[in-house]
Amino acid sequence: MKVLVTGATGYIGSAVAGRLAERGHEVVALVRPKQVEARGVPGAAQVRYGDVTDPASLAAGDVDAVVHATAPTGDEAVELAAVDALLAGGAKVVYTSGVWVLGPGDADETSPVNPIPFVTFRAAVERRVLDGGGVVLRPGIVYGGGRGIPALLTAKAAEHGRGRYVAADGREPTWPTIHIDDLAELFVAVVERGESGSIYHGVAEEAVPLSAVAKAAARAAGLGDAPVEAWPVEEAAGDLGPGFAGALAVGQAVRADRTRKELGWAPSRPGIVADLEAGAR
Ligand SMILES: NC(=O)c1ccc[n+]([C@@H]2O[C@H](COP(=O)([O-])OP(=O)(O)OC[C@H]3O[C@@H](n4cnc5c(N)ncnc54)[C@H](OP(=O)(O)O)[C@@H]3O)[C@@H](O)[C@H]2O)c1
């Protein structure tokens, strides 16, 4: 298949582009002009320039599928115009959402959305994609390759001299997580076999306690087995911004049973704690 990948220089987009190419698909990478010269897009047969804020630049009439994986602008109107432009080309659009659209608590692919404040725009964008015959893929917190939010915890542990996790009212959150390579394989499966109008969850471990993640991050930062501590969300907000800090404090348990069954997807990479600790060696 010929597949356009937006956000192709990013953490998720670059992994997906590489995996699609390995599977023999023709990857067209959509990138912003300045960045690509600096970073390149491995696996891309073609590079095209575009920007989410300029819907005309997203025209995708000549491809079979689109993986849309750009960093969110946070502006619902901009995000809706972008997916409208991608859907208008008639390709199968796979929209990268995220588990935060589900809100706190337990959820699976059939649960109603209840977005946390950081991602309120996602509810309308998901709806537009599904109504337009596209597919929604919600990754959990992505780790692996020394990038992503967990790598940020390692950097923060090094900065603070101890492992910390953001917590609201002292409550320890749990995160649904996924290794970047398992996630890239899921994207390929969704591009190839995902049903129009379906929601899929990219989650391997449903609810990892954050004290365990912070402990592994501290070890990765060379701090050994020193005790970890809760970082009050109000304090973290000053460093990370209130929206992002609030998101990190959300406790979730997200299942992906339907996704595994429907697509025959079986994540197999080491869990988040083992992955972070491996970075320490
Ligand atoms: N990482 C996670 O744990 C996670 C979990 C769930 C959902 N998600 C979602 O997955 C998507 C991708 O996340 P990521 O972690 O891969 O982010 P990332 O590493 O920050 O990559 C974001 C990509 O979006 C591109 N981009 C940013 N603004 C753009 C614009 N206006 N027009 C076109 N491209 C633009 C960036 O291009 P430049 O190189 O030009 O900056 C980059 O390629 C996001 O929507 C994110 O919310 C991520």
Side-chain angles (χ1 to χ4, degrees), residues 42-79:
Q46 199 189 108
V47 170
R48 198 172 283 179
Y49 295 116
D51 195 300
V52 164
T53 58
D54 173 16
S57 71
L58 304 176
D62 62 331
V63 297
D64 305 301
V66 175
V67 170
H68 187 33
T70 51
T73 59
D75 182 327
E76 187 177 301
V78 168
E79 299 293 325

PDB file of all heavy atoms in Angstrom, residues 42-79:
ATOM      1  N   PRO A  42      13.909   7.945   7.947  1.00  0.00           N
ATOM      2  CA  PRO A  42      14.310   6.619   7.469  1.00  0.00           C
ATOM      3  C   PRO A  42      13.101   5.848   6.948  1.00  0.00           C
ATOM      4  O   PRO A  42      12.033   5.892   7.544  1.00  0.00           O
ATOM      5  CB  PRO A  42      14.873   5.943   8.726  1.00  0.00           C
ATOM      6  CG  PRO A  42      15.088   7.029   9.714  1.00  0.00           C
ATOM      7  CD  PRO A  42      14.176   8.154   9.368  1.00  0.00           C
ATOM      8  N   GLY A  43      13.284   5.165   5.835  1.00  0.00           N
ATOM      9  CA  GLY A  43      12.217   4.319   5.303  1.00  0.00           C
ATOM     10  C   GLY A  43      11.276   5.020   4.343  1.00  0.00           C
ATOM     11  O   GLY A  43      10.486   4.375   3.674  1.00  0.00           O
ATOM     12  N   ALA A  44      11.333   6.352   4.276  1.00  0.00           N
ATOM     13  CA  ALA A  44      10.391   7.064   3.414  1.00  0.00           C
ATOM     14  C   ALA A  44      10.840   6.999   1.952  1.00  0.00           C
ATOM     15  O   ALA A  44      11.982   7.313   1.631  1.00  0.00           O
ATOM     16  CB  ALA A  44      10.274   8.514   3.859  1.00  0.00           C
ATOM     17  N   ALA A  45       9.912   6.585   1.083  1.00  0.00           N
ATOM     18  CA  ALA A  45      10.207   6.567  -0.349  1.00  0.00           C
ATOM     19  C   ALA A  45      10.113   7.974  -0.913  1.00  0.00           C
ATOM     20  O   ALA A  45      10.731   8.309  -1.917  1.00  0.00           O
ATOM     21  CB  ALA A  45       9.214   5.651  -1.057  1.00  0.00           C
ATOM     22  N   GLN A  46       9.321   8.784  -0.239  1.00  0.00           N
ATOM     23  CA  GLN A  46       9.073  10.142  -0.730  1.00  0.00           C
ATOM     24  C   GLN A  46       8.833  11.063   0.463  1.00  0.00           C
ATOM     25  O   GLN A  46       8.258  10.627   1.465  1.00  0.00           O
ATOM     26  CB  GLN A  46       7.786  10.085  -1.560  1.00  0.00           C
ATOM     27  CG  GLN A  46       7.563  11.218  -2.518  1.00  0.00           C
ATOM     28  CD  GLN A  46       6.131  11.127  -3.090  1.00  0.00           C
ATOM     29  OE1 GLN A  46       5.281  11.923  -2.737  1.00  0.00           O
ATOM     30  NE2 GLN A  46       5.860  10.173  -3.948  1.00  0.00           N
ATOM     31  N   VAL A  47       9.287  12.290   0.355  1.00  0.00           N
ATOM     32  CA  VAL A  47       9.013  13.268   1.408  1.00  0.00           C
ATOM     33  C   VAL A  47       8.152  14.377   0.809  1.00  0.00           C
ATOM     34  O   VAL A  47       8.406  14.845  -0.309  1.00  0.00           O
ATOM     35  CB  VAL A  47      10.324  13.857   1.978  1.00  0.00           C
ATOM     36  CG1 VAL A  47      10.029  15.035   2.896  1.00  0.00           C
ATOM     37  CG2 VAL A  47      11.096  12.784   2.745  1.00  0.00           C
ATOM     38  N   ARG A  48       7.116  14.749   1.554  1.00  0.00           N
ATOM     39  CA  ARG A  48       6.202  15.794   1.100  1.00  0.00           C
ATOM     40  C   ARG A  48       6.125  16.828   2.211  1.00  0.00           C
ATOM     41  O   ARG A  48       6.177  16.462   3.379  1.00  0.00           O
ATOM     42  CB  ARG A  48       4.836  15.125   0.923  1.00  0.00           C
ATOM     43  CG  ARG A  48       3.874  15.866   0.096  1.00  0.00           C
ATOM     44  CD  ARG A  48       2.651  14.995  -0.161  1.00  0.00           C
ATOM     45  NE  ARG A  48       2.866  13.974  -1.175  1.00  0.00           N
ATOM     46  CZ  ARG A  48       1.946  13.088  -1.551  1.00  0.00           C
ATOM     47  NH1 ARG A  48       0.761  13.079  -0.984  1.00  0.00           N
ATOM     48  NH2 ARG A  48       2.201  12.203  -2.487  1.00  0.00           N
ATOM     49  N   TYR A  49       6.020  18.085   1.861  1.00  0.00           N
ATOM     50  CA  TYR A  49       5.974  19.124   2.884  1.00  0.00           C
ATOM     51  C   TYR A  49       4.539  19.517   3.195  1.00  0.00           C
ATOM     52  O   TYR A  49       3.705  19.632   2.292  1.00  0.00           O
ATOM     53  CB  TYR A  49       6.771  20.352   2.434  1.00  0.00           C
ATOM     54  CG  TYR A  49       8.244  20.043   2.292  1.00  0.00           C
ATOM     55  CD1 TYR A  49       8.874  20.108   1.054  1.00  0.00           C
ATOM     56  CD2 TYR A  49       8.975  19.651   3.403  1.00  0.00           C
ATOM     57  CE1 TYR A  49      10.227  19.784   0.932  1.00  0.00           C
ATOM     58  CE2 TYR A  49      10.324  19.331   3.282  1.00  0.00           C
ATOM     59  CZ  TYR A  49      10.935  19.408   2.045  1.00  0.00           C
ATOM     60  OH  TYR A  49      12.254  19.083   1.940  1.00  0.00           O
ATOM     61  N   GLY A  50       4.254  19.712   4.470  1.00  0.00           N
ATOM     62  CA  GLY A  50       2.914  20.128   4.867  1.00  0.00           C
ATOM     63  C   GLY A  50       2.896  20.540   6.313  1.00  0.00           C
ATOM     64  O   GLY A  50       3.873  20.348   7.048  1.00  0.00           O
ATOM     65  N   ASP A  51       1.755  21.130   6.709  1.00  0.00           N
ATOM     66  CA  ASP A  51       1.598  21.595   8.082  1.00  0.00           C
ATOM     67  C   ASP A  51       0.140  21.430   8.468  1.00  0.00           C
ATOM     68  O   ASP A  51      -0.744  21.750   7.671  1.00  0.00           O
ATOM     69  CB  ASP A  51       2.022  23.066   8.185  1.00  0.00           C
ATOM     70  CG  ASP A  51       2.238  23.490   9.629  1.00  0.00           C
ATOM     71  OD1 ASP A  51       1.278  23.409  10.424  1.00  0.00           O
ATOM     72  OD2 ASP A  51       3.369  23.884   9.962  1.00  0.00           O
ATOM     73  N   VAL A  52      -0.093  20.953   9.680  1.00  0.00           N
ATOM     74  CA  VAL A  52      -1.461  20.734  10.163  1.00  0.00           C
ATOM     75  C   VAL A  52      -2.280  22.027  10.133  1.00  0.00           C
ATOM     76  O   VAL A  52      -3.497  21.990   9.951  1.00  0.00           O
ATOM     77  CB  VAL A  52      -1.402  20.145  11.599  1.00  0.00           C
ATOM     78  CG1 VAL A  52      -2.726  20.250  12.308  1.00  0.00           C
ATOM     79  CG2 VAL A  52      -0.955  18.695  11.545  1.00  0.00           C
ATOM     80  N   THR A  53      -1.627  23.145  10.311  1.00  0.00           N
ATOM     81  CA  THR A  53      -2.351  24.418  10.335  1.00  0.00           C
ATOM     82  C   THR A  53      -2.705  24.906   8.930  1.00  0.00           C
ATOM     83  O   THR A  53      -3.351  25.938   8.784  1.00  0.00           O
ATOM     84  CB  THR A  53      -1.510  25.503  11.044  1.00  0.00           C
ATOM     85  OG1 THR A  53      -0.264  25.625  10.341  1.00  0.00           O
ATOM     86  CG2 THR A  53      -1.240  25.133  12.494  1.00  0.00           C
ATOM     87  N   ASP A  54      -2.300  24.171   7.905  1.00  0.00           N
ATOM     88  CA  ASP A  54      -2.590  24.536   6.518  1.00  0.00           C
ATOM     89  C   ASP A  54      -3.234  23.320   5.827  1.00  0.00           C
ATOM     90  O   ASP A  54      -2.542  22.519   5.199  1.00  0.00           O
ATOM     91  CB  ASP A  54      -1.271  24.932   5.822  1.00  0.00           C
ATOM     92  CG  ASP A  54      -1.456  25.157   4.335  1.00  0.00           C
ATOM     93  OD1 ASP A  54      -2.610  25.304   3.880  1.00  0.00           O
ATOM     94  OD2 ASP A  54      -0.428  25.167   3.616  1.00  0.00           O
ATOM     95  N   PRO A  55      -4.582  23.166   5.973  1.00  0.00           N
ATOM     96  CA  PRO A  55      -5.244  21.949   5.495  1.00  0.00           C
ATOM     97  C   PRO A  55      -4.951  21.638   4.027  1.00  0.00           C
ATOM     98  O   PRO A  55      -4.836  20.460   3.666  1.00  0.00           O
ATOM     99  CB  PRO A  55      -6.725  22.245   5.715  1.00  0.00           C
ATOM    100  CG  PRO A  55      -6.777  23.311   6.747  1.00  0.00           C
ATOM    101  CD  PRO A  55      -5.521  24.103   6.615  1.00  0.00           C
ATOM    102  N   ALA A  56      -4.810  22.667   3.194  1.00  0.00           N
ATOM    103  CA  ALA A  56      -4.565  22.408   1.770  1.00  0.00           C
ATOM    104  C   ALA A  56      -3.277  21.613   1.568  1.00  0.00           C
ATOM    105  O   ALA A  56      -3.149  20.844   0.608  1.00  0.00           O
ATOM    106  CB  ALA A  56      -4.498  23.730   1.006  1.00  0.00           C
ATOM    107  N   SER A  57      -2.333  21.772   2.496  1.00  0.00           N
ATOM    108  CA  SER A  57      -1.048  21.077   2.349  1.00  0.00           C
ATOM    109  C   SER A  57      -1.149  19.596   2.727  1.00  0.00           C
ATOM    110  O   SER A  57      -0.181  18.860   2.606  1.00  0.00           O
ATOM    111  CB  SER A  57       0.018  21.756   3.211  1.00  0.00           C
ATOM    112  OG  SER A  57      -0.228  21.513   4.585  1.00  0.00           O
ATOM    113  N   LEU A  58      -2.341  19.174   3.206  1.00  0.00           N
ATOM    114  CA  LEU A  58      -2.510  17.790   3.656  1.00  0.00           C
ATOM    115  C   LEU A  58      -3.239  16.925   2.629  1.00  0.00           C
ATOM    116  O   LEU A  58      -3.592  15.777   2.927  1.00  0.00           O
ATOM    117  CB  LEU A  58      -3.289  17.755   4.984  1.00  0.00           C
ATOM    118  CG  LEU A  58      -2.701  18.582   6.127  1.00  0.00           C
ATOM    119  CD1 LEU A  58      -3.626  18.534   7.344  1.00  0.00           C
ATOM    120  CD2 LEU A  58      -1.318  18.064   6.517  1.00  0.00           C
ATOM    121  N   ALA A  59      -3.486  17.473   1.440  1.00  0.00           N
ATOM    122  CA  ALA A  59      -4.221  16.724   0.414  1.00  0.00           C
ATOM    123  C   ALA A  59      -3.566  15.362   0.206  1.00  0.00           C
ATOM    124  O   ALA A  59      -2.348  15.265   0.074  1.00  0.00           O
ATOM    125  CB  ALA A  59      -4.228  17.513  -0.892  1.00  0.00           C
ATOM    126  N   ALA A  60      -4.407  14.310   0.235  1.00  0.00           N
ATOM    127  CA  ALA A  60      -3.854  12.948   0.188  1.00  0.00           C
ATOM    128  C   ALA A  60      -4.676  12.090  -0.777  1.00  0.00           C
ATOM    129  O   ALA A  60      -5.100  10.994  -0.439  1.00  0.00           O
ATOM    130  CB  ALA A  60      -3.862  12.357   1.593  1.00  0.00           C
ATOM    131  N   GLY A  61      -4.886  12.611  -1.975  1.00  0.00           N
ATOM    132  CA  GLY A  61      -5.726  11.892  -2.942  1.00  0.00           C
ATOM    133  C   GLY A  61      -5.031  10.729  -3.628  1.00  0.00           C
ATOM    134  O   GLY A  61      -5.687   9.907  -4.273  1.00  0.00           O
ATOM    135  N   ASP A  62      -3.725  10.629  -3.490  1.00  0.00           N
ATOM    136  CA  ASP A  62      -2.979   9.628  -4.257  1.00  0.00           C
ATOM    137  C   ASP A  62      -2.455   8.482  -3.384  1.00  0.00           C
ATOM    138  O   ASP A  62      -1.586   7.733  -3.823  1.00  0.00           O
ATOM    139  CB  ASP A  62      -1.788  10.309  -4.950  1.00  0.00           C
ATOM    140  CG  ASP A  62      -0.812  10.899  -3.934  1.00  0.00           C
ATOM    141  OD1 ASP A  62      -1.261  11.285  -2.832  1.00  0.00           O
ATOM    142  OD2 ASP A  62       0.395  10.955  -4.230  1.00  0.00           O
ATOM    143  N   VAL A  63      -2.959   8.376  -2.140  1.00  0.00           N
ATOM    144  CA  VAL A  63      -2.463   7.300  -1.269  1.00  0.00           C
ATOM    145  C   VAL A  63      -3.615   6.376  -0.856  1.00  0.00           C
ATOM    146  O   VAL A  63      -4.784   6.749  -0.941  1.00  0.00           O
ATOM    147  CB  VAL A  63      -1.762   7.862  -0.006  1.00  0.00           C
ATOM    148  CG1 VAL A  63      -0.528   8.661  -0.370  1.00  0.00           C
ATOM    149  CG2 VAL A  63      -2.722   8.695   0.839  1.00  0.00           C
ATOM    150  N   ASP A  64      -3.279   5.162  -0.416  1.00  0.00           N
ATOM    151  CA  ASP A  64      -4.297   4.204   0.020  1.00  0.00           C
ATOM    152  C   ASP A  64      -4.665   4.398   1.486  1.00  0.00           C
ATOM    153  O   ASP A  64      -5.764   4.077   1.906  1.00  0.00           O
ATOM    154  CB  ASP A  64      -3.765   2.772  -0.149  1.00  0.00           C
ATOM    155  CG  ASP A  64      -3.299   2.515  -1.572  1.00  0.00           C
ATOM    156  OD1 ASP A  64      -4.137   2.650  -2.476  1.00  0.00           O
ATOM    157  OD2 ASP A  64      -2.098   2.223  -1.770  1.00  0.00           O
ATOM    158  N   ALA A  65      -3.701   4.876   2.267  1.00  0.00           N
ATOM    159  CA  ALA A  65      -3.941   5.038   3.709  1.00  0.00           C
ATOM    160  C   ALA A  65      -3.122   6.209   4.232  1.00  0.00           C
ATOM    161  O   ALA A  65      -2.123   6.611   3.625  1.00  0.00           O
ATOM    162  CB  ALA A  65      -3.556   3.756   4.455  1.00  0.00           C
ATOM    163  N   VAL A  66      -3.584   6.730   5.369  1.00  0.00           N
ATOM    164  CA  VAL A  66      -2.871   7.813   6.047  1.00  0.00           C
ATOM    165  C   VAL A  66      -2.709   7.433   7.513  1.00  0.00           C
ATOM    166  O   VAL A  66      -3.681   7.015   8.145  1.00  0.00           O
ATOM    167  CB  VAL A  66      -3.675   9.140   5.997  1.00  0.00           C
ATOM    168  CG1 VAL A  66      -2.973  10.228   6.803  1.00  0.00           C
ATOM    169  CG2 VAL A  66      -3.912   9.602   4.574  1.00  0.00           C
ATOM    170  N   VAL A  67      -1.504   7.561   8.045  1.00  0.00           N
ATOM    171  CA  VAL A  67      -1.308   7.486   9.496  1.00  0.00           C
ATOM    172  C   VAL A  67      -1.071   8.920   9.946  1.00  0.00           C
ATOM    173  O   VAL A  67      -0.088   9.551   9.551  1.00  0.00           O
ATOM    174  CB  VAL A  67      -0.099   6.596   9.865  1.00  0.00           C
ATOM    175  CG1 VAL A  67       0.216   6.735  11.359  1.00  0.00           C
ATOM    176  CG2 VAL A  67      -0.383   5.140   9.521  1.00  0.00           C
ATOM    177  N   HIS A  68      -2.010   9.437  10.755  1.00  0.00           N
ATOM    178  CA  HIS A  68      -1.937  10.836  11.182  1.00  0.00           C
ATOM    179  C   HIS A  68      -1.373  10.862  12.607  1.00  0.00           C
ATOM    180  O   HIS A  68      -2.054  10.448  13.551  1.00  0.00           O
ATOM    181  CB  HIS A  68      -3.342  11.434  11.121  1.00  0.00           C
ATOM    182  CG  HIS A  68      -3.395  12.908  11.384  1.00  0.00           C
ATOM    183  ND1 HIS A  68      -2.390  13.787  11.026  1.00  0.00           N
ATOM    184  CD2 HIS A  68      -4.355  13.682  11.972  1.00  0.00           C
ATOM    185  CE1 HIS A  68      -2.720  15.006  11.388  1.00  0.00           C
ATOM    186  NE2 HIS A  68      -3.908  14.972  11.963  1.00  0.00           N
ATOM    187  N   ALA A  69      -0.144  11.323  12.750  1.00  0.00           N
ATOM    188  CA  ALA A  69       0.543  11.211  14.055  1.00  0.00           C
ATOM    189  C   ALA A  69       1.317  12.480  14.396  1.00  0.00           C
ATOM    190  O   ALA A  69       2.461  12.422  14.831  1.00  0.00           O
ATOM    191  CB  ALA A  69       1.471  10.002  14.052  1.00  0.00           C
ATOM    192  N   THR A  70       0.654  13.622  14.218  1.00  0.00           N
ATOM    193  CA  THR A  70       1.340  14.875  14.568  1.00  0.00           C
ATOM    194  C   THR A  70       1.096  15.234  16.028  1.00  0.00           C
ATOM    195  O   THR A  70       0.106  14.824  16.625  1.00  0.00           O
ATOM    196  CB  THR A  70       0.813  16.046  13.708  1.00  0.00           C
ATOM    197  OG1 THR A  70      -0.609  16.063  13.792  1.00  0.00           O
ATOM    198  CG2 THR A  70       1.244  15.896  12.275  1.00  0.00           C
ATOM    199  N   ALA A  71       1.996  16.028  16.589  1.00  0.00           N
ATOM    200  CA  ALA A  71       1.776  16.573  17.928  1.00  0.00           C
ATOM    201  C   ALA A  71       0.539  17.450  17.860  1.00  0.00           C
ATOM    202  O   ALA A  71       0.363  18.203  16.904  1.00  0.00           O
ATOM    203  CB  ALA A  71       2.989  17.397  18.349  1.00  0.00           C
ATOM    204  N   PRO A  72      -0.342  17.356  18.858  1.00  0.00           N
ATOM    205  CA  PRO A  72      -1.573  18.138  18.783  1.00  0.00           C
ATOM    206  C   PRO A  72      -1.330  19.631  18.959  1.00  0.00           C
ATOM    207  O   PRO A  72      -0.488  20.036  19.762  1.00  0.00           O
ATOM    208  CB  PRO A  72      -2.410  17.588  19.934  1.00  0.00           C
ATOM    209  CG  PRO A  72      -1.508  16.817  20.807  1.00  0.00           C
ATOM    210  CD  PRO A  72      -0.247  16.517  20.058  1.00  0.00           C
ATOM    211  N   THR A  73      -2.078  20.439  18.195  1.00  0.00           N
ATOM    212  CA  THR A  73      -2.001  21.886  18.383  1.00  0.00           C
ATOM    213  C   THR A  73      -2.827  22.287  19.602  1.00  0.00           C
ATOM    214  O   THR A  73      -2.635  23.374  20.145  1.00  0.00           O
ATOM    215  CB  THR A  73      -2.590  22.618  17.162  1.00  0.00           C
ATOM    216  OG1 THR A  73      -3.957  22.188  17.022  1.00  0.00           O
ATOM    217  CG2 THR A  73      -1.826  22.315  15.889  1.00  0.00           C
ATOM    218  N   GLY A  74      -3.774  21.417  20.013  1.00  0.00           N
ATOM    219  CA  GLY A  74      -4.666  21.742  21.120  1.00  0.00           C
ATOM    220  C   GLY A  74      -5.880  22.547  20.660  1.00  0.00           C
ATOM    221  O   GLY A  74      -6.801  22.768  21.436  1.00  0.00           O
ATOM    222  N   ASP A  75      -5.887  22.968  19.403  1.00  0.00           N
ATOM    223  CA  ASP A  75      -6.975  23.789  18.858  1.00  0.00           C
ATOM    224  C   ASP A  75      -7.931  22.874  18.082  1.00  0.00           C
ATOM    225  O   ASP A  75      -7.574  22.344  17.025  1.00  0.00           O
ATOM    226  CB  ASP A  75      -6.351  24.851  17.940  1.00  0.00           C
ATOM    227  CG  ASP A  75      -7.397  25.794  17.362  1.00  0.00           C
ATOM    228  OD1 ASP A  75      -8.537  25.345  17.123  1.00  0.00           O
ATOM    229  OD2 ASP A  75      -7.055  26.963  17.141  1.00  0.00           O
ATOM    230  N   GLU A  76      -9.149  22.714  18.623  1.00  0.00           N
ATOM    231  CA  GLU A  76     -10.095  21.768  18.025  1.00  0.00           C
ATOM    232  C   GLU A  76     -10.395  22.084  16.558  1.00  0.00           C
ATOM    233  O   GLU A  76     -10.445  21.183  15.722  1.00  0.00           O
ATOM    234  CB  GLU A  76     -11.386  21.774  18.850  1.00  0.00           C
ATOM    235  CG  GLU A  76     -12.368  20.723  18.420  1.00  0.00           C
ATOM    236  CD  GLU A  76     -13.601  20.703  19.308  1.00  0.00           C
ATOM    237  OE1 GLU A  76     -13.462  20.495  20.530  1.00  0.00           O
ATOM    238  OE2 GLU A  76     -14.713  20.904  18.781  1.00  0.00           O
ATOM    239  N   ALA A  77     -10.576  23.374  16.253  1.00  0.00           N
ATOM    240  CA  ALA A  77     -10.918  23.739  14.870  1.00  0.00           C
ATOM    241  C   ALA A  77      -9.791  23.373  13.911  1.00  0.00           C
ATOM    242  O   ALA A  77     -10.024  22.864  12.804  1.00  0.00           O
ATOM    243  CB  ALA A  77     -11.218  25.240  14.793  1.00  0.00           C
ATOM    244  N   VAL A  78      -8.565  23.608  14.327  1.00  0.00           N
ATOM    245  CA  VAL A  78      -7.404  23.275  13.490  1.00  0.00           C
ATOM    246  C   VAL A  78      -7.315  21.757  13.300  1.00  0.00           C
ATOM    247  O   VAL A  78      -7.110  21.252  12.190  1.00  0.00           O
ATOM    248  CB  VAL A  78      -6.097  23.812  14.138  1.00  0.00           C
ATOM    249  CG1 VAL A  78      -4.857  23.244  13.457  1.00  0.00           C
ATOM    250  CG2 VAL A  78      -6.079  25.335  14.093  1.00  0.00           C
ATOM    251  N   GLU A  79      -7.514  21.018  14.379  1.00  0.00           N
ATOM    252  CA  GLU A  79      -7.412  19.549  14.312  1.00  0.00           C
ATOM    253  C   GLU A  79      -8.531  18.974  13.432  1.00  0.00           C
ATOM    254  O   GLU A  79      -8.305  18.020  12.678  1.00  0.00           O
ATOM    255  CB  GLU A  79      -7.480  18.952  15.724  1.00  0.00           C
ATOM    256  CG  GLU A  79      -6.363  19.400  16.660  1.00  0.00           C
ATOM    257  CD  GLU A  79      -4.984  18.894  16.255  1.00  0.00           C
ATOM    258  OE1 GLU A  79      -4.889  17.770  15.740  1.00  0.00           O
ATOM    259  OE2 GLU A  79      -4.007  19.626  16.461  1.00  0.00           O
TER     260      GLU A  79
END
